[in-house]
Amino acid sequence: MKNLILVRHAKSNWDMPLKDRDRPLDQRGLYDAHLVSSNIQKHIPAKYIIWSSIAKRASDTAVIFAQNILYPIENILYKEDLYTFDEKQLEEVIKSCNNSFDSVILFGHNAAITNFVNKFGDKFIENVPTSGFVSLQFENDSWEEIKKGKTKKIIIPKDLK
């Protein structure tokens, strides 16, 4: 069985003239990332790895989550190919995961995340919001062979406020 948790990066700041990948989180993003990550402990597997897009807003979100779930931040794996908005590329990255890992928490971007969870989960989500957490479970032993799975949990900031 494979477990995949997808987290859309927290709300980013558009006020500064920066490259897209360099945009930091804004105040609401910081708050929401802490809020959601403080409410997921019972919904994450005992053992997992964390992957993050190299974009600042995604990597900062991953660090906040890691700190709040007591995951060593030095063990976060930053992947250039997770800086994507395309679910096909996201799917390729996920399917390339080493099968020795049964559970992955992944921090990335929309529209890739929303489209991926709608293709592979069994609950339709119109839009995974910033800081949104979606847990999927697959009845496969191989990441490469994942197909339609079960949407186990959805946590969004609005539901916690």
Side-chain angles (χ1 to χ4, degrees):
M1 187 174 315
K2 300 295 181 195
N3 299 290
L4 176 64
I5 294 170
L6 296 124
V7 180
R8 181 177 172 193
H9 66 77
K11 179 129 180 57
S12 61
N13 187 330
W14 287 83
D15 292 342
M16 295 174 270
L18 298 169
K19 290 182 181 174
D20 181 69
R21 66 176 54 209
D22 296 331
R23 283 190 289 118
L25 300 178
D26 71 6
Q27 284 304 108
R28 190 183 101 198
L30 292 167
Y31 176 82
D32 286 351
H34 280 284
L35 179 65
V36 173
S37 61
S38 297
N39 284 281
I40 62 169
Q41 199 65 46
K42 65 183 176 192
H43 304 292
I44 57 175
K47 288 180 65 180
Y48 53 88
I49 58 171
I50 292 181
W51 286 358
S52 175
S53 159
I54 49 91
K56 181 160 179 51
R57 61 194 182 273
S59 62
D60 287 354
T61 304
V63 167
I64 290 168
F65 272 70
Q67 290 171 329
N68 286 329
I69 60 176
L70 305 178
Y71 183 88
I73 60 173
E74 62 275 8
N75 291 351
I76 297 170
L77 182 60
Y78 299 96
K79 298 175 86 55
E80 175 87 30
D81 48 3
L82 287 178
Y83 179 60
T84 183
F85 311 97
D86 177 73
E87 87 271 3
K88 286 248 183 255
Q89 184 175 338
L90 179 60
E91 179 180 338
E92 287 175 20
V93 176
I94 292 166
K95 287 185 172 186
S96 74
C97 185
N98 185 314
N99 287 322
S100 64
F101 301 110
D102 289 329
S103 302
V104 177
I105 301 176
L106 185 152
F107 294 83
H109 307 272
N110 244 7
I113 286 183
T114 295
N115 292 336
F116 184 92
V117 300
N118 285 328
K119 179 177 179 181
F120 286 92
D122 63 351
K123 291 184 179 136
F124 178 78
I125 303 170
E126 188 167 327
N127 178 52
V128 175
T130 52
S131 298
F133 168 104
V134 180
S135 174
L136 303 174
Q137 189 172 68
F138 302 97
E139 297 293 329
N140 297 78
D141 292 326
S142 167
W143 286 105
E144 194 174 11
E145 296 171 8
I146 62 169
K147 294 185 177 28
K148 199 72 161 174
K150 181 163 182 47
T151 305
K152 300 295 284 181
K153 188 69 180 175
I154 302 166
I155 301 173
I156 60 173
K158 182 175 79 171
D159 293 342
L160 299 172
K161 293 178 180 176

